[in-house]
Amino acid sequence: MHITPLNPLTKDTLESIGLSWHTDVDSTSYIENEMVEISQEEADRFYDAGNELYDMFCEAGQYVIDNNLFFDLDIPVSLIPMIKQSWEQEVHWHLYGRFDFAGGLDGVPLKLLEFNADTPTMLYESALIQWAMLKANGLDENAQFNNIYEALEENFKRIITLGADTSRFSEIYEGWKILFSCVSGNDEEERTTRFLQEIARSAGFETEFAYIDEVQFSQDEGVFFNECNYEFLFKLLPWESIAIDEPELAMLMRSIMENKAGIFLNPAYTLLFQSKRILKILWDLFPNHPLLLESSFTPLQGKAQVAKASFGREGQGIEIFDASSKILAQNTAEYQNCKRVYQAYHELNRNGEFYYQPNVFFAYESCGLGFRKGGLILDNYAKFVSHTIR
């Protein structure tokens, strides 16, 4: 791997551009003072991989629906009608997601680890902070695989145009409004949500922000905030969390969809992609595909592998085994009630004692790359690393 040191952005600078979660609990910086150098050929492979995999996920999603495999994917029963409706009706547009990969550098095969399709974070860092890191160091800030802002701006317009061509957006847009919402008390999630709001506004939408407990829901009339009705609600709140922790809200949202009184972003069908157990479906449909790792609902025999909770997040619900079933690393304090999937182990890009995971954002097409750096299991304390195309 080619790692180049960078001069750090000061905390004051980071806060001035909106990143307040710059320091971890151990007082170390979340934003690493380095960048990964990649070739244009490697950048192209990341781009192509995201595009190809999204098509594969769509085929897998249709297979799950056609064969009623929601139980296999650990999908809450209350969400199944919303998943089916959002899948069948094109107006429920998938705004963005993030593919997590292993490999892809120095000739190491690129392999999918999972797809964060519902509520992916790391967006603000990937879209803006790594650009600012290069600019502050006197480097070419455009020498990145990073058009996240522009891709999202176009994809917001597709919420209305429902297709690749967005040139007619201004002609057919009729003042529809998007309310952006997240839980209070989490700076990263609020900044991510407000960043998306800013992009939607630049695309031409009327927008507002509210914490989720401030939003009013009416099964007949839709979503309200401050007595204003919103046609769309973007909620940085996982669908499975809504179903499990807020069942009454889940039923209200279901009624709103059935009454065509509002549209939710990301749509409910993204939970099919979010479930890590879809990795097994992908392997069944595309066995030995070069971008996939063998995956099963039962332990793989005689192979190094990773056991993952269906809806584990931030490196939780993971166990890594060697070929003799010896545990190499684990983080299983959370998500004990989730079903598991077993995926063949593929080592992350490594430099010294640290591992580097490439993450590709997707908004209608692959649109940006960032890296996380940490130990064998990349958890909530992994660092963000910028990149450049040399």
Side-chain angles (χ1 to χ4, degrees):
M1 288 183 63
H2 300 273
I3 306 292
T4 301
L6 295 175
N7 294 320
L9 296 175
T10 66
K11 293 179 181 179
D12 287 345
T13 299
L14 288 169
E15 290 179 4
S16 72
I17 55 177
L19 192 128
S20 59
W21 61 100
H22 47 64
T23 305
D24 287 331
V25 292
D26 59 359
S27 298
T28 60
S29 176
Y30 164 57
I31 305 296
E32 280 285 43
N33 305 322
E34 62 184 32
M35 65 180 178
V36 178
E37 295 186 28
I38 67 172
S39 67
Q40 184 62 58
E41 183 180 1
E42 289 167 335
D44 291 342
R45 279 201 294 269
F46 285 123
Y47 174 81
D48 291 339
N51 293 339
E52 183 173 1
L53 283 166
Y54 194 82
D55 289 342
M56 292 162 62
F57 268 87
C58 288
E59 188 169 334
Q62 187 66 63
Y63 183 83
V64 169
I65 292 171
D66 290 344
N67 293 277
N68 197 31
L69 300 178
F70 301 101
F71 179 79
D72 288 348
L73 264 60
D74 213 10
I75 302 291
V77 173
S78 62
L79 297 182
I80 294 175
M82 286 187 278
I83 289 172
K84 289 181 176 180
Q85 181 181 348
S86 63
W87 185 266
E88 293 165 359
Q89 297 175 350
E90 193 177 19
V91 293
H92 301 277
W93 196 260
H94 189 189
L95 184 59
Y96 80 117
R98 191 194 75 221
F99 290 104
D100 294 348
F101 289 103
L105 302 179
D106 303 329
V108 178
L110 181 63
K111 299 289 185 179
L112 172 72
L113 296 179
E114 58 197 51
F115 185 25
N116 298 278
D118 181 15
T119 55
T121 53
M122 211 177 86
L123 179 71
Y124 196 69
E125 303 92 296
S126 300
L128 183 63
I129 300 302
Q130 63 175 337
W131 173 85
M133 287 285 285
L134 266 63
K135 184 176 178 65
N137 278 267
L139 302 170
D140 181 3
E141 65 269 21
N142 295 311
Q144 292 184 341
F145 170 25
N146 183 8
N147 64 317
I148 295 172
Y149 192 106
E150 295 81 4
L152 277 167
E153 188 176 43
E154 287 299 294
N155 218 23
F156 269 113
K157 294 178 182 179
R158 292 189 186 97
I159 293 171
I160 306 301
T161 64
L162 301 178
D165 182 10
T166 62
S167 62
R168 296 186 62 244
F169 172 79
S170 58
E171 297 176 27
I172 60 179
Y173 173 68
E174 297 182 4
W176 292 292
K177 301 177 290 297
I178 307 177
L179 181 63
F180 288 82
S181 187
C182 66
V183 298
S184 60
N186 187 308
D187 288 352
E188 180 182 4
E189 292 185 4
E190 181 170 340
R191 170 49 61 188
T192 300
T193 304
R194 289 185 181 273
F195 182 55
L196 287 163
Q197 179 191 1
E198 173 190 328
I199 298 172
R201 187 183 296 122
S202 71
F205 283 90
E206 294 183 40
T207 71
E208 186 56 84
F209 173 87
Y211 296 117
I212 194 67
D213 59 358
E214 299 174 327
V215 180
Q216 293 88 47
F217 296 86
S218 165
Q219 65 179 14
D220 297 316
E221 299 180 59
V223 174
F224 290 82
F225 174 64
N226 284 344
E227 299 183 353
C228 181
N229 181 227
Y230 291 84
E231 289 80 9
F232 298 91
L233 172 69
F234 173 87
K235 43 90 203 149
L236 198 67
L237 187 65
W239 278 107
E240 73 273 15
S241 297
I242 295 173
I244 295 168
D245 301 331
E246 302 287 346
E248 292 182 1
L249 175 58
M251 295 310 296
L252 261 177
M253 295 173 76
R254 174 177 168 179
S255 296
I256 289 170
M257 285 180 59
E258 290 174 344
N259 294 329
K260 298 183 179 180
I263 294 174
F264 303 109
L265 304 169
N266 276 314
Y269 71 74
T270 57
L271 195 58
L272 299 177
F273 303 162
Q274 185 74 33
S275 172
K276 294 176 179 60
R277 283 172 66 92
I278 202 171
L279 295 168
K280 191 263 187 187
I281 306 299
L282 285 165
W283 185 256
D284 289 346
L285 295 177
F286 307 98
N288 301 306
H289 189 283
L291 289 172
L292 299 180
L293 294 165
E294 182 180 358
S295 299
S296 173
F297 291 158
T298 58
L300 303 172
Q301 298 302 309
K303 295 183 178 181
Q305 59 196 285
V306 181
K308 301 179 177 182
S310 55
F311 292 109
R313 293 174 182 266
E314 298 177 336
Q316 298 179 9
I318 287 179
E319 294 175 292
I320 301 178
F321 302 89
D322 67 12
S324 64
S325 299
K326 177 185 176 182
I327 293 179
L328 301 178
Q330 61 181 338
N331 185 358
T332 56
E334 302 290 337
Y335 302 103
Q336 298 281 354
N337 295 326
C338 287
K339 295 180 180 179
R340 308 181 79 69
V341 66
Y342 298 84
Q343 183 185 53
Y345 177 74
H346 188 76
E347 188 170 291
L348 298 173
N349 305 295
R350 188 172 183 177
N351 185 51
E353 63 180 301
F354 294 107
Y355 296 90
Y356 292 72
Q357 182 188 85
N359 311 106
V360 173
F361 279 92
F362 186 92
Y364 194 73
E365 64 178 348
S366 301
C367 59
L369 172 69
F371 285 87
R372 283 186 294 174
K373 170 186 175 181
L376 196 56
I377 296 177
L378 290 166
D379 57 20
N380 196 35
Y381 298 105
K383 309 300 184 182
F384 179 80
V385 182
S386 307
H387 79 282
T388 189
I389 300 174
R390 59 178 182 269

